[in-house]
C-alpha cells in the first residue's frame, strides 16, 4: 500500500516533505504535484523506478524522461546549454516547460534518448514540488502521470492513491494541479522546436 501525504499547497509541512524525501532516497516511486498536473517521480539513478514508470505508463525506450530540478544551477549540471539557449530557458523558468537538451556525463545512459543522447529537464513553479526538491537536494526523475488509454492525467491525490495503491510507494496530495502537461521544447539541434504544446506559453519559442 502506498503511503498518503496530505500536504498544504502553500505551506507544506516540513515533516511530511522530509518523510517523502527520505522515501525517495530509499528507492521509492512517488506520485507528486507539479505546476502542470501530477507526475511520477523517483531517484535519478533508480533503475527499478524507471522500470516501474515504464510499466505503469506503457512506455518504450524512446520516451524522454524528465529531470525535475530545483533551480537553474542544478539544471546546468545535467544538460549542455549554449548562450542563446541559456537565455531562452532562463527567461522561461520556473514554469510549465520541459526542455530537451544534450545530456552531460552526469546523466545515466539509461535515461538518455538511445540515439540522440538527450534528456528532458524542467524547473517547476510549484511550492510543494520545490519544497520536495530542496529537501532532496537532487533532481527527481519524472514522467507525467498519464495512464495508458486515458486522455487526461488524474488530478486528485485520493484518486491516484486509489488507482495506483499497488504500484507506487507514496502519494503526495496538495489538491488539484490541473490536467495540462508541460509545453515541450526541443533545443537539441540548436534551434527551438515545439514538440508539444501544453501549459507553457509557446510564443517566445516561435
Amino acid at each position: 500500500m502506498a503511503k498518503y501525504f496530505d500536504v498544504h499547497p502553500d505551506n507544506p509541512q516540513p515533516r511530511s516533505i522530509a518523510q517523502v524525501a527520505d522515501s525517495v532516497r530509499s528507492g521509492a516511486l512517488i506520485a507528486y504535484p507539479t505546476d502542470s498536473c501530477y507526475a511520477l517521480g523517483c531517484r535519478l539513478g533508480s533503475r527499478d523506478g524507471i522500470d516501474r514508470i515504464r510499466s505503469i505508463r506503457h512506455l518504450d525506450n524512446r520516451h524522454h524522461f524528465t529531470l525535475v530540478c530545483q533551480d537553474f544551477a542544478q539544471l546546468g549540471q545535467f544538460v549542455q546549454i549554449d548562450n542563446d539557449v541559456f537565455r531562452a530557458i532562463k527567461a522561461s523558468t520556473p514554469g510549465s516547460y520541459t526542455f530537451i537538451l544534450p545530456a552531460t556525463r552526469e546523466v545515466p545512459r539509461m535515461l538518455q534518448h538511445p540515439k540522440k543522447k538527450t534528456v528532458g529537464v524542467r524547473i517547476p513553479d510549484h511550492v510543494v514540488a520545490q519544497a520536495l526538491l530542496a529537501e532532496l537536494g537532487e533532481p527527481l526523475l519524472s514522467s507525467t502521470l498519464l495512464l495508458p488509454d486515458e486522455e487526461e492525467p488524474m488530478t486528485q491525490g485520493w484518486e491516484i492513491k486509489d488507482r495506483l495503491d499497488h504500484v507506487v510507494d507514496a502519494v503526495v496530495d496538495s489538491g488539484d494541479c490541473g490536467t495540462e502537461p508541460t509545453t515541450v521544447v526541443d533545443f537539441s539541434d540548436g534551434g527551438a522546436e515545439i514538440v508539444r504544446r501544453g501549459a507553457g506559453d509557446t510564443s517566445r519559442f516561435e
Side-chain angles (χ1 to χ4, degrees):
M1 283 182 59
K3 294 180 181 177
Y4 180 78
F5 296 90
D6 188 3
V7 177
H8 194 281
D10 300 315
N11 297 290
Q13 304 91 318
R15 185 168 178 268
S16 295
I17 294 297
Q19 288 177 324
V20 176
D22 283 343
S23 68
V24 171
R25 292 188 194 101
S26 299
L29 176 64
I30 67 169
Y32 72 101
T34 77
D35 50 345
S36 59
C37 60
Y38 277 83
L40 294 167
C42 66
R43 196 169 189 182
L44 179 58
S46 174
R47 180 173 288 280
D48 176 66
I50 293 170
D51 290 344
R52 291 166 70 188
I53 291 172
R54 282 202 171 112
S55 175
I56 291 167
R57 292 203 54 202
H58 295 183
L59 302 173
D60 61 28
N61 66 358
R62 295 187 301 275
H63 176 75
H64 265 111
F65 283 98
T66 299
L67 302 182
V68 179
C69 301
Q70 181 186 358
D71 54 28
F72 205 85
Q74 190 178 74
L75 180 149
Q77 299 174 39
F78 298 95
V79 288
Q80 301 170 34
I81 310 176
D82 66 27
N83 287 338
D84 290 341
V85 174
F86 175 94
R87 285 191 289 270
I89 295 178
K90 183 77 169 169
S92 308
T93 54
S96 301
Y97 298 92
T98 298
F99 302 103
I100 297 173
L101 289 156
T104 67
R105 292 179 181 178
E106 300 293 321
V107 180
R109 188 173 297 240
M110 61 185 173
L111 301 185
Q112 300 176 27
H113 188 281
K115 290 184 178 178
K116 296 183 176 181
K117 307 305 179 190
T118 50
V119 70
V121 286
R122 68 173 301 232
I123 302 171
D125 187 13
H126 190 279
V127 172
V128 174
Q130 279 289 341
L132 178 55
L133 290 164
E135 179 68 26
L136 192 59
E138 61 184 63
L140 271 168
L141 168 64
S142 296
S143 183
T144 302
L145 208 175
L146 180 61
L147 298 182
D149 303 322
E150 296 199 4
E151 293 185 3
E152 291 190 341
M154 288 181 284
T155 62
Q156 302 294 334
W158 60 265
E159 181 187 13
I160 295 168
K161 161 80 166 148
D162 188 52
R163 292 275 302 275
L164 302 182
D165 201 26
H166 60 298
V167 291
V168 301
D169 302 304
V171 176
V172 182
D173 186 355
S174 65
D176 191 330
C177 56
T179 60
E180 195 169 19
T182 57
T183 289
V184 179
V185 184
D186 188 342
F187 279 109
S188 60
D189 292 325
E193 178 188 353
I194 298 168
V195 177
R196 179 178 71 195
R197 296 176 187 274
D201 179 17
T202 60
S203 61
R204 69 184 66 191
F205 302 109
E206 294 176 306

